[in-house]
Amino acid sequence: MDDLEEDLTCSVCYALFSDPRVLPCSHTFCRSCLKNVLQVSVSFSIWRPLRLPLKCPSCRSVVELPTNGVDALPVNVCLRAIVEKYQRERPPACPEHPRQPLNVYCVQDRKLICGFCLTVGQHQGHAIDDLQTACVKERGAQSRLTESLRWEEVCGLAERLAQEKERSHALVQNDREVVSRFFQGLDLILAQKEERFLQALDRASVLLASAYDPLIQQVKDMQEQHSELLIARECSVNILKYTKHPEALRCSHGQIQNICFISQQQFLCEWITKHWSNPRQDPCLDPFNISCSENQCTSVQKNTFVLNRGL
Ligand SMILES: [Zn+2]
Ligand SMILES: [Zn+2]
Ligand SMILES: [Zn+2]
Ligand SMILES: [Zn+2]
């Protein structure tokens, strides 16, 4: 059988011939193998038009093919028929070792193996039988197995299986309830924890407000006092020019400025010492017993402007 398979094997692809074609030199190859060879030889040669060169893979002689190439070569009909018959009748091949027939029975693994499996594969040293003996033994084992199984036992087995199934089902249901109860308890604990955390955060909010609000109010008070201080400063400058230093009218413009500045500084120092040392105290902005509303300040500023222009 091995020699026959070798004769039916293509020397290019080492598989059984597929659509075998005969070259003029009488050598035969698969149609697809010849197409591959032709493609290589055409791309590496300069040849006369309308003829395709092909070098036989066996005898290396160059043959010319017509333009329709390998398809023009005659089919080796006889060889094709033998290959088809061989494929139908040959024993199944080993899945581990391609093209090796499964012709040995491994007793240990109760499995068909090939010669390679036994000598170099996974079944080295295993007890074996030839196919005929294995077939007889397996038939005997099968009939013994059939005899040992009585119908009543089979029925009883089915009943036992049904009971076993019920018992397993009850166990699963029980486990299911346990898991449900566990997670319900977990939900309750989580809800309580959440409530406690939220309450703590609410308390933190209240604490934050009580810490920040007085500070914010204090800064606002200071801003108001600062504005009032600026207004008071301007009032003091203008009033000094009219009331406290009439002799300044006789001085030069620069001297008036100096006197005003010094008086203003003295007033501011006193005011800051009095009020900003305690920002919450209501400010008294009228050291010269006059009201310091915005309108009055504006009228004083106008008078000062007229006075300065006159100088
Ligand atoms: Zn081939
Ligand atoms: Zn040849
Ligand atoms: Zn094998
Ligand atoms: Zn084995």
Side-chain angles (χ1 to χ4, degrees):
M1 200 61 130
D2 285 351
D3 289 344
L4 176 62
E5 185 160 328
E6 203 176 313
D7 291 339
L8 302 179
T9 299
C10 166
S11 60
V12 174
C13 63
Y14 295 105
L16 290 176
F17 282 112
S18 157
D19 193 2
R21 301 293 173 120
V22 194
L23 289 174
C25 60
S26 303
H27 287 119
T28 299
F29 303 94
C30 310
R31 178 169 152 272
S32 56
C33 292
L34 283 177
K35 281 197 166 181
N36 290 338
V37 173
L38 179 65
Q39 203 172 14
V40 173
S41 64
V42 165
S43 51
F44 283 99
S45 346
I46 302 165
W47 207 254
R48 62 198 171 99
L50 304 179
R51 306 303 290 177
L52 300 171
L54 190 145
K55 191 182 270 185
C56 171
S58 284
C59 65
R60 318 301 292 166
S61 63
V62 177
V63 295
E64 286 183 354
L65 300 182
T67 45
N68 52 346
V70 174
D71 290 331
L73 290 169
V75 178
N76 192 332
V77 181
C78 225
L79 184 59
R80 189 175 67 186
I82 296 170
V83 167
E84 284 170 1
K85 186 161 184 266
Y86 177 76
Q87 280 176 325
R88 279 197 302 274
E89 292 179 0
R90 72 172 169 177
C94 174
E96 308 262 334
H97 305 102
R99 297 173 60 193
Q100 292 301 313
L102 292 169
N103 51 12
V104 184
Y105 184 77
C106 174
V107 176
Q108 183 175 323
D109 299 313
R110 302 187 69 181
K111 190 178 174 186
L112 282 170
I113 59 172
C114 75
F116 281 9
C117 288
L118 183 66
T119 51
V120 295
Q122 297 172 357
H123 300 268
Q124 288 179 61
H126 291 183
I128 55 159
D129 270 335
D130 62 85
L131 293 183
Q132 185 67 32
T133 314
C135 207
V136 172
K137 282 184 182 173
E138 282 298 311
R139 274 201 196 112
Q142 194 181 3
S143 60
R144 280 197 301 280
L145 187 69
T146 316
E147 283 166 16
S148 68
L149 278 176
R150 285 193 290 276
W151 179 242
E152 299 82 42
E153 285 175 10
V154 173
C155 291
L157 190 65
E159 204 172 307
R160 278 212 309 280
L161 282 173
Q163 286 169 357
E164 200 61 26
K165 182 190 162 195
E166 280 299 310
R167 200 177 66 82
S168 305
H169 189 66
L171 283 174
V172 169
Q173 276 301 112
N174 188 43
D175 285 354
R176 211 183 133 80
E177 282 163 20
V178 169
V179 169
S180 288
R181 277 201 299 277
F182 174 76
F183 277 96
Q184 278 166 7
L186 218 55
D187 284 347
L188 193 68
I189 291 167
L190 282 175
Q192 286 169 352
K193 289 251 177 212
E194 183 190 12
E195 184 60 30
R196 260 181 253 151
F197 276 121
L198 290 177
Q199 282 172 358
L201 288 171
D202 288 345
R203 284 197 297 277
S205 275
V206 172
L207 284 176
L208 278 175
S210 65
Y212 276 97
D213 288 351
L215 290 174
I216 290 167
Q217 188 54 47
Q218 200 171 346
V219 171
K220 280 182 182 169
D221 291 348
M222 287 169 80
Q223 284 172 340
E224 280 174 20
Q225 288 169 9
H226 180 250
S227 304
E228 288 164 357
L229 177 62
L230 290 177
I231 293 166
R233 189 182 70 176
E234 290 205 23
C235 288
S236 69
V237 169
N238 294 327
I239 289 162
L240 276 171
K241 282 177 189 171
Y242 282 110
T243 58
K244 297 293 183 186
H245 303 285
E247 69 279 8
L249 293 170
R250 293 188 295 274
C251 300
S252 68
H253 179 70
Q255 282 172 320
I256 290 172
Q257 293 294 330
N258 290 340
I259 291 164
C260 288
F261 178 74
I262 291 163
S263 304
Q264 175 196 347
Q265 284 301 106
Q266 285 172 348
F267 163 70
L268 284 176
C269 286
E270 285 167 14
W271 193 91
I272 288 169
T273 311
K274 187 177 173 188
H275 297 291
W276 282 72
S277 58
N278 183 5
R280 289 187 174 280
Q281 189 181 334
D282 288 337
C284 173
L285 297 172
D286 196 359
F288 303 107
N289 293 323
I290 59 161
S291 167
C292 200
S293 73
E294 194 179 342
N295 287 339
Q296 283 170 327
C297 284
T298 310
S299 67
V300 172
Q301 280 166 355
K302 279 179 191 163
N303 292 337
T304 312
F305 178 71
V306 172
L307 178 68
N308 287 340
R309 280 172 69 92
L311 289 170

